Amino acid sequence: MAGTALQLGLNSQLPPFSLLSNQHRSSPLTTTSSSLSVKLFTSKRLHNHKPKAVLSTEKRTEGREEGRDGEKYDAIVIGSGIGGLVAATQLAAKGARVLVLEKYVIPGGSSGYYVRDGFKFDVGSSVMFGFSDKGNLNLITQALAAVGHKMEVIPDPSTVHFHLPKQLSVRVHREYDDFISELISKFPHEKQGILQFYGDCWKIFNSLNAMELKSLEEPLYLFGQFFKKPLECLTLAYYLPQNAGAIARKYIKDPELLSFIDAECFIVSTVNALQTPMINASMVLCDRHFGGINYPVGGVGGIAEALANGLVNMGSEIQYKANVTSIILENRKAVGVRLSNGKEFFARKVISNATRWDTFGKLLKAEELPEEEKNFQKSYVKAPS
């Protein structure tokens, strides 16, 4: 299950990464995704980072570097998954000239498609958040609007129908009241606990939805948001270090209901509630009712196609069958990429939409990794399938 809300931080897929050569810092390596992400600097501490435009509109025409093939790019994006396409189109919308390099023949990554006998099939994502026309968490709608596009969607009457042990059957209806009524009917003795747990989820969601979501990790951005939305920021700060399981256990005692909360969180993060950040859980558990699950007419692949076409219409480029095999560094700064055919492209910024493992394990040599990434690899423990 994925979608912009999920892919921007809440699903099990590994996040795309950015290698940003920076004039003021030493070789920053940034992971970005429509969800969980990590920013690494060779001389800075590890912290999270959301994808955002790296060029201000004031500087968008300054300092462009000419590629050795005569092309000039502000940024190169490796891979045309949704994260890479959103990064590219957001930059292009602000005047940057961007080159996206995709090794496959169509855009989209796990949001791509294939065709059989005249029918189009999604290869991955099919449960889509972020198509709402209201609030600030309609991230797909916003991404498409940046390229002047809007997709027709079909509302899904339910997100998921749980079939759990002991014959427990719970349907997550699109309408919140219908879902809560059904859940309480299964656990009438836990009515108060159910209302309190999901009530906390709504407190968090409403705080997130009240702000323009550009970053939850950049100090200067958060400082500015605090003065605009102090109560919402304080609410998020309170819940930021907490997990959904611990909060559920404050209100709920029935082990079967707690197992249901685990199942709810597993869809969000592929781990149980005790390992799922409360903010992540709240975003999905509420947006499925606020904005709802919507399926785009023509298939999920249409999202990537619209973004790719919009990118080209704004004067940037996307090349297919362009397999990036290495990132070129100069003085420990990412300055370009090399393709499998030997061709090289150069730009001021390099953004990798590949997985963490491909970015740091294949596109960079072991001796080129920042210390933070080396330390991460030493401590990392693989999750079960």
Side-chain angles (χ1 to χ4, degrees), residues 18-20 27-31 38-42 360 364 369-370:
S18 314
L19 265 89
L20 307 179
S27 185
L29 295 157
T30 307
T31 72
V38 181
K39 188 177 193 176
L40 300 111
F41 289 99
T42 56
F360 292 118
L364 287 173
L369 299 183

Side-chain angles (χ1 to χ4, degrees), residues 55 60 62 64 72-76 95-97 347-349:
L55 301 175
R60 65 192 182 192
E62 299 175 5
R64 288 182 176 169
K72 297 178 181 178
Y73 300 106
D74 293 304
I76 291 172
R97 184 152 185 252
R348 294 178 61 205
K349 309 289 180 184

